[in-house]
Amino acid sequence: MNKTKYKTALLDCWPMMKELRRDHFKHTWKAGEKGDLVVMGIFEWFLALCAGFGDYANPSYGPYYTGILRDKEKALTCFNTAESKGFKRDICASMRCHLGQLYMGLTEKSPKGDTVKPDFILQPAACYAMSKTGQIVSEELGIPYLNLEFPTKDSGNTRAYLTTEMQEAIEWMEKKTDRKFNDELFINAVQNEWECMVLWARICEMTKTIPSPLDYRQMWSLRIPNITSRHKRETVTLYRILFDEVKERVAKGISATPYETARLFHQFLPPFYALNIFKEPWKYGASFIGGDGAFTSMGAWMIHEDGTWEAAKMPHERGVNISTREAALEALADLYLGYLPASRCTLTVNQKEAAKMIHDWHVDGVVLMIDRGCKTLSAGQEEQIVELKDAGIPTMVYEGSHADFRDYNEIATLNRLDFFLESLGLKELDEFKEGQQ
Amino acid sequence: MNISRPKIFRPFREIVTDRHEYAKKWKAKTGGKVIGYFCTYVPEEIICAANILPVRIIGNNEPQTITDRLCSRNKWCPFSRNCLAEGLLGNYDYLDGVVLGASCFHTQEVFAAWVKHIPLSFWHYLFIPGSLQSTSADTCLVGEFEEFKSSLETWTGASITTEALDRAIETYNKNRQLMKALYELRKYEPPMLAGSEAMQTVLASQLMDKSEHNNILKEVLAQLSDGKNNVEPAIRLMVLGSENNDIDLLRAIESWGANIVIDDHCVGSRYFWGEITPHEDRLRAIAKRYIERPPCPTKDFPLRRRLPHILGLIKEFKVQTAVIILQKFCEPHQYDLPAIESGLQELHIPSVVIEIDAPISMAQIRTRVESLIDMLRVDTY
C-alpha cells in the first residue's frame, strides 16, 4: 500500500470553470435580449453546427435539469409528472426529467416568469430516448424538430451520410430561422470543438501519473464546459489553462488528494445527485482518479489495436486544413465517428479497451454503476465486468440511476464501497477518523 | 379455443416448433450456408440472392440462467436475453454467420455478445438510420446494402448477380402478396383464421425458405377459400407493441373470448407489409421498401408514421379493442405508449398494456385481458 503523503493545491482555473458553467445556464434567459438563437434538444454533439448563426443558448435536458436533480422534492414532482403522462419508469431518467419539466410548463419559463420560445430542436440521435424526447417536446411546444442521425459505426458510407445530413441541417436551420449561416464562424467553432476535445483527452491522460494531479470529483465538474460550450473560444482558453496547470502539477508532484493508498476508476455514469460517492474513499486515503464517464464525455481518443488509449491529434497536426464549410463538416464527422469512443460503445469500448485503460492508469479497483435507464452508456456493462474480473481487477458493482434518486440506495452503496475498499486491504486513516477531513 | 382448421396450418406449426431441425435439413439438402439475422430491417432479399438461408434469431420465451453473467435481468429485455441464450446453448450451432440491422440498443448488445462468444465465420453490422424519413437516408441505406452485398460476396466467393436479386425480390414480393391475402381473410366477421395461426405463418416465413413458404401458403389460401369458417364470432382485437413470438400467449388471449384480427409488431404485419417496387438500381429498390414499410419505433422520426398506420389498421380491420404487449425494459415501445394510448382513446378503442417477461405471468395477463373483453361484451351484447 502506498502510504506517501503528497502535496495538494487548489486549482487556479476552478473559478473560471464555474463562471463558464454559470454563463451557459443563464444564457437561455438572456438569449432573446441578445438576439441569439435558443436551441433545444440534448444538444451535446456537433455543437459547432449552430455556431454558424453566432452565439446561441442551449438548455439541454431542460433549463432546470441540474437544479431539479439536486432537489429531491422537485425531482420527485418532475418524475411523477412525466410518469403520470404514461412514460414508464424504465425510460431514461434524464429524459423523464426533461419531459417532467415540459409537462410542468417549465421548459419555456424563465425563473422570473418570462416566456422564452426555443427556435428549434436539433437532436443528434446519440440514443433513441433523446430522439424520441425531442419529437415529443416538438409536438407539445410546436417547435421545428430535426433528428440528426449519429451513426453507430464508422465507415466511408456513414461518414458521407453524416456529412450530408449536417449540410442539410444547416439549410434546414437557415429556413427555419430565416438567418444566414456564416461559414467563418462555423469553421472557427469546429476548430474550437476539436481543440477542447483533444485537450480534455490530454488532461485525462495526465491522470495516469502517480499521484494523480486531478481526482474524479474535480473532473466531473471540469468536464461540463466541454459538454455544453466547447465550440466557444473561451472554453478553449479554459482547457488550455487547465492543461498547463495540470502539467505543472505533474511536474511538481502535486496531487489531487493527500494520499493514494489505492487508485480507483468509476465506470459508467455516477448518480449525478450524489457525487459524494467520489469522496467516500478519501477516508481510506484512496481516490477515484478516472473513469469512462468523464474520459469519454467529450474527449477525443485514438484507441489502438491493443486497446491502448491515446489522446487524438488535432487536424492541423495531421496535416488537415479546415478552411471551407465542406472541410469543416468532414472534420466534425471525423471527430465524432473516429475519435469519440462513446458513440460506438456497443461493440468496442466496454470490453478489452476498458481493461487496457484500467491497466495503463495503474488502477487498483473499479467501481461500476448499473443504470437500467441509460441504454446507451450501459451497453456492454456486464461484458466489461466479466472482462475486468477475468483480468484479475477487483470490481464493485452497484445499481443506481444517474438522474433518478429513487433508484439509488445511498447508504447501502457507500457501505458496500467501504467493504470493497477494506477488501483491497485498506483501513480508515487515523487523521480521517479524528474528523480532520 | 378459436382456431380455424388446425390441419391447414400444421406445416407452419411444425416448422416453428422444429425450426432448428428445419434449417439443418435445408442445409444438408442444399449444401448452402445459413445466416442468422437480428431485426427485420435486415434485407433478406440480398441474403437469399446469395443462395443463403436467412433465419431470424428468436428466443424461446422460457426462463434461463445461461445469460446471467453477461446481461442483467434488470436491464435487458427478455427477448434479447433469450436470443443470446439460444446462441450460448448451442441451439443455433448450424449457423455460418450472423447479421444485425441496427435498431434498439438491446438488439445491438445481443449481436455484440454473439460476435464475442459464439464462433462464426461471418458477421456483419448493418447501420440502419433512425431518421428513415430524411432525404439522405436512402443513399445511406443503399450504401449499407452495397457493403453488405460485397461482404457476402467476399465470404462466399461468388458474386450476387442482378438476376439473382431479381429472383429474390420476386420471391419476397410474392410472399408479401400472399401474406397480405391471408391477412385480408382476417377482415371477415368472424375472421377466417385465428391470430395465433397468423403469427405462426409469419414466424414460419422468418425461419424457412421463402419459396417453400410461398408454396405452402398458396395451399393454405386455397383451402381457406372453400367458404367454410370454423372461427366463432368474438370481440375483434388487435395486438401491437414489442417483438412478440409467443404463439401460446395469442392462443390464450383468443381463448378468453376474442378474435385477434390484426397486429402491428415485427412477427406480424410489420414484417411483410409493403412490397418492393422494381427499379433499375435493385439495392435502391430494396432500400425504398425498408424505408417505407411500417416503421419500428426506433425508425419513426421526425414525424410519427407508426401511429397513423396503427389507427388505419384499426379502422380497416374493424378492431374493437387492443392489447399492447411490451417486452419488459423495451424503451422504444414504452416511449410510443402515451401517444398510442391517446390515439386509441380518440377512436374510442379500449386497450390494456401487458408487460411480458420470460416466463410470462399468464394469470395476471388473463385477469387484465379478460376484464377488457368482458367489459366490451357487456357493451356489445
Side-chain angles (χ1 to χ4, degrees):
Chain A
M1 188 195 303
N2 173 9
K3 289 188 176 173
T4 314
K5 185 160 188 175
Y6 298 107
K7 287 180 285 184
T8 58
L10 296 175
L11 277 170
D12 292 339
C13 65
W14 191 262
M16 188 180 174
M17 173 274 292
K18 291 186 84 167
E19 191 60 33
L20 286 178
R21 281 172 46 164
R22 262 196 297 272
D23 287 350
H24 172 77
F25 294 115
K26 284 180 186 165
H27 193 182
T28 301
W29 315 122
K30 289 181 178 168
E33 293 166 25
K34 294 168 67 187
D36 295 343
L37 292 176
V38 177
V39 180
M40 285 222 62
I42 317 307
F43 192 53
E44 290 184 353
W45 303 268
F46 317 104
L47 297 187
L49 264 188
C50 294
F53 297 102
D55 202 3
Y56 65 92
N58 167 24
S60 274
Y61 300 92
Y64 298 98
Y65 177 76
T66 315
I68 286 171
L69 293 198
R70 283 197 194 119
D71 182 329
K72 286 186 178 175
E73 209 170 303
K74 282 184 190 164
L76 188 60
T77 309
C78 192
F79 291 132
N80 281 343
T81 305
E83 286 154 22
S84 71
K85 293 285 180 183
F87 296 99
K88 292 171 84 79
R89 205 166 148 179
D90 302 331
I91 285 175
C92 168
S94 282
M95 294 305 103
R96 278 186 285 120
C97 181
H98 193 355
L99 290 168
Q101 290 172 71
L102 172 74
Y103 292 117
M104 287 163 76
L106 296 173
T107 310
E108 298 178 305
K109 278 275 176 279
S110 82
K112 289 180 183 167
D114 306 328
T115 300
V116 176
K117 191 87 180 163
D119 292 278
F120 55 80
I121 296 169
L122 181 58
Q123 186 52 65
C127 78
Y128 170 79
M130 289 180 184
S131 298
K132 205 69 191 177
T133 303
Q135 185 182 52
I136 293 162
V137 175
S138 153
E139 289 168 346
E140 286 290 323
L141 300 181
I143 305 169
Y145 165 57
L146 186 72
N147 187 52
L148 183 75
E149 200 69 60
F150 193 166
T152 42
K153 83 172 184 189
D154 183 16
S155 69
N157 185 49
T158 55
R159 283 188 182 219
Y161 176 48
L162 179 55
T163 309
T164 309
E165 267 201 310
M166 288 192 288
Q167 175 58 41
E168 287 173 355
I170 291 169
E171 289 158 18
W172 180 85
M173 288 188 287
E174 281 185 323
K175 211 178 280 177
K176 295 295 172 190
T177 62
D178 209 17
R179 296 184 189 205
K180 188 92 187 108
F181 190 79
N182 182 316
D183 282 344
E184 198 182 331
L185 291 176
F186 172 56
I187 290 164
N188 288 338
V190 169
Q191 279 162 339
N192 292 340
E193 200 163 348
W194 251 106
E195 187 168 349
C196 282
M197 289 175 69
V198 169
L199 280 169
W200 182 249
R202 288 178 183 168
I203 291 162
C204 293
E205 268 185 331
M206 286 192 275
T207 63
K208 282 181 190 169
T209 316
I210 298 173
S212 174
L214 295 174
D215 91 321
Y216 208 54
R217 179 65 191 88
Q218 289 172 314
M219 297 178 81
W220 200 255
S221 295
L222 288 164
R223 83 196 216 292
I224 297 296
N226 199 29
I227 292 175
T228 59
S229 327
R230 62 187 176 280
H231 57 293
K232 294 183 178 179
R233 202 63 209 153
E234 52 266 39
T235 314
V236 174
T237 306
L238 167 72
Y239 289 112
R240 282 183 180 175
I241 293 171
L242 178 63
F243 177 81
D244 289 341
E245 207 181 334
V246 173
K247 202 171 160 188
E248 194 184 339
R249 287 164 78 96
V250 169
K252 291 181 177 171
I254 295 172
S255 174
T257 51
Y259 297 97
E260 261 192 20
T261 53
R263 291 162 63 86
L264 306 171
F265 252 36
H266 188 284
Q267 293 291 80
F268 312 118
L269 295 174
F272 295 171
Y273 44 85
L275 292 174
N276 55 331
I277 189 170
F278 293 145
K279 295 182 180 175
E280 182 69 7
W282 291 357
K283 62 186 181 190
Y284 293 88
S287 177
F288 281 105
I289 54 104
D292 63 359
F295 284 14
T296 65
S297 54
M298 309 315 165
W301 295 93
M302 290 187 284
I303 300 180
H304 298 290
E305 273 297 300
D306 67 347
T308 306
W309 292 57
E310 185 191 345
K313 290 187 169 56
M314 285 288 292
H316 70 263
E317 292 170 335
R318 292 178 282 121
V320 176
N321 181 27
I322 305 172
S323 55
T324 62
R325 182 192 291 190
E326 291 68 31
L329 289 172
E330 278 170 21
L332 266 188
D334 184 35
L335 174 60
Y336 286 100
L337 294 184
Y339 298 97
L340 187 67
S343 67
R344 52 196 181 92
C345 55
T346 312
L347 289 174
T348 55
V349 165
N350 291 316
Q351 309 199 6
K352 76 169 183 185
E353 292 88 347
K356 184 75 170 88
M357 176 169 69
I358 284 156
H359 174 267
D360 291 349
W361 261 259
H362 317 294
V363 174
D364 301 298
V366 180
V367 176
L368 310 96
M369 186 174 91
I370 299 266
D371 180 348
R372 72 169 186 233
C374 181
K375 311 293 184 287
T376 319
L377 292 180
S378 67
Q381 276 187 319
E382 292 82 4
E383 292 277 3
Q384 182 176 136
I385 293 163
V386 170
E387 194 83 33
L388 297 178
K389 284 183 175 165
D390 288 351
I393 299 163
T395 57
M396 179 200 123
V397 181
Y398 68 101
E399 276 196 77
S401 162
H402 66 284
D404 190 340
F405 71 91
R406 296 170 298 175
D407 287 346
Y408 174 64
N409 186 332
E410 184 170 32
I411 293 169
T413 304
L414 294 183
N415 276 340
R416 189 185 291 187
L417 183 53
D418 287 347
F419 294 143
F420 176 66
L421 294 167
E422 285 163 18
S423 77
L424 297 177
L426 305 180
K427 287 185 180 157
E428 254 186 85
L429 299 180
D430 289 341
E431 60 192 274
F432 285 94
K433 275 185 189 166
E434 290 157 13
Q436 292 180 12
Q437 53 180 317
Chain B
M1 186 176 294
N2 246 352
I3 49 175
S4 59
R5 280 163 287 175
K7 275 186 187 168
I8 298 179
F9 288 93
R10 183 183 290 162
F12 294 138
R13 191 166 57 246
E14 285 173 356
I15 284 156
V16 169
T17 309
D18 297 322
R19 59 185 194 271
H20 300 304
E21 283 310 306
Y22 173 85
K24 284 175 192 170
K25 279 181 192 161
W26 182 92
K27 206 171 170 176
K29 190 173 74 184
T30 64
K33 292 180 189 296
V34 182
I35 279 188
Y37 68 91
F38 297 94
C39 182
T40 56
Y41 275 93
V42 169
E44 287 179 59
E45 294 85 348
I46 301 173
I47 304 174
C48 174
N51 290 318
I52 298 169
L53 177 68
V55 171
R56 185 171 185 191
I57 294 173
I58 54 165
N60 68 0
N61 303 313
E62 295 297 328
Q64 47 79 22
T65 54
I66 195 166
T67 60
D68 286 358
R69 190 165 180 255
L70 301 176
C71 56
S72 168
R73 285 172 181 274
N74 288 340
K75 202 183 70 181
W76 283 45
C77 79
F79 172 67
S80 57
R81 283 201 320 262
N82 279 2
C83 284
L84 178 57
E86 286 289 290
L88 296 174
L89 287 166
N91 292 337
Y92 280 101
D93 57 359
Y94 53 88
L95 291 183
D96 299 288
V98 284
V99 57
L100 168 78
S103 51
C104 68
F105 273 102
H106 287 166
T107 316
Q108 295 187 54
E109 282 197 85
V110 181
F111 175 72
W114 262 70
V115 170
K116 188 174 179 192
H117 300 287
I118 300 160
L120 291 163
S121 63
F122 176 85
W123 64 270
H124 192 93
Y125 181 105
L126 268 164
F127 167 66
I128 311 283
S131 299
L132 281 175
Q133 298 165 27
S134 99
T135 50
S136 44
D138 64 337
T139 305
C140 174
L141 205 52
V142 171
E144 286 300 303
F145 289 179
E146 276 167 0
E147 278 179 17
F148 180 46
K149 177 174 169 277
S150 166
S151 64
L152 281 175
E153 288 172 332
T154 307
W155 180 50
T156 59
S159 65
I160 298 170
T161 62
T162 306
E163 293 71 33
L165 277 172
D166 284 343
R167 278 196 301 276
I169 289 170
E170 199 184 324
T171 305
Y172 273 73
N173 268 354
K174 186 72 198 169
N175 191 254
R176 288 168 184 136
Q177 289 158 11
L178 293 169
M179 287 301 309
K180 203 84 187 273
L182 184 76
Y183 266 50
E184 282 294 309
L185 301 177
R186 305 176 77 181
K187 286 183 178 170
Y188 288 92
E189 176 51 29
M192 302 282 284
L193 66 153
S196 54
E197 291 166 334
M199 182 189 266
Q200 223 156 41
T201 312
V202 180
L203 187 53
S205 79
Q206 298 179 341
L207 304 169
M208 67 187 291
D209 180 275
K210 276 285 190 297
S211 307
E212 202 181 332
H213 190 268
N214 285 348
N215 291 338
I216 301 173
L217 191 46
K218 278 179 205 163
E219 280 182 30
V220 167
L221 285 166
Q223 289 178 67
L224 286 174
S225 63
D226 63 5
K228 295 177 192 164
N229 189 352
N230 286 10
V231 179
E232 296 291 323
I235 297 296
R236 296 177 68 83
L237 186 145
M238 177 180 196
V239 288
L240 66 152
S242 307
E243 191 284 345
N244 171 33
N245 56 60
D246 194 337
I247 294 165
D248 289 340
L249 174 61
L250 261 58
R251 208 173 277 137
I253 291 173
E254 296 195 298
S255 74
W256 301 327
N259 285 325
I260 299 171
V261 294
I262 188 61
D263 54 66
D264 177 69
H265 57 80
C266 57
V267 191
S269 66
R270 211 191 296 148
Y271 172 65
F272 64 82
W273 219 257
E275 290 177 35
I276 296 171
T277 309
H279 187 281
E280 201 175 332
D281 180 345
R282 272 57 170 188
L283 295 184
R284 195 166 290 277
I286 296 172
K288 192 166 182 286
R289 186 263 158 187
Y290 284 89
I291 287 169
E292 290 175 356
R293 58 163 265 191
C296 156
T298 61
K299 312 289 177 205
D300 203 18
F301 304 105
L303 299 173
R304 290 182 194 271
R305 284 172 49 217
R306 184 170 172 241
L307 180 60
H309 173 71
I310 290 169
L311 300 182
L313 289 177
I314 283 173
K315 288 175 189 162
E316 206 180 327
F317 286 80
K318 298 188 175 59
V319 169
Q320 294 172 281
T321 186
V323 174
I324 304 168
I325 301 174
L326 299 183
Q327 293 274 347
K328 199 170 168 68
F329 305 123
C330 176
E331 191 176 55
H333 283 279
Q334 288 178 349
Y335 252 108
D336 263 8
L337 196 54
I340 287 174
E341 286 188 309
S342 159
L344 293 175
Q345 274 168 18
E346 278 177 27
L347 291 184
H348 306 291
I349 301 291
S351 64
V352 67
V353 180
I354 58 174
E355 204 170 48
I356 54 173
D357 203 341
I360 61 171
S361 176
M362 197 62 96
Q364 277 186 2
I365 293 172
R366 178 175 187 158
T367 306
R368 304 178 70 192
V369 175
E370 254 186 351
S371 306
L372 178 76
I373 293 168
D374 286 347
M375 187 178 72
L376 275 156
R377 275 182 178 148
V378 170
D379 289 349
T380 310
Y381 303 113

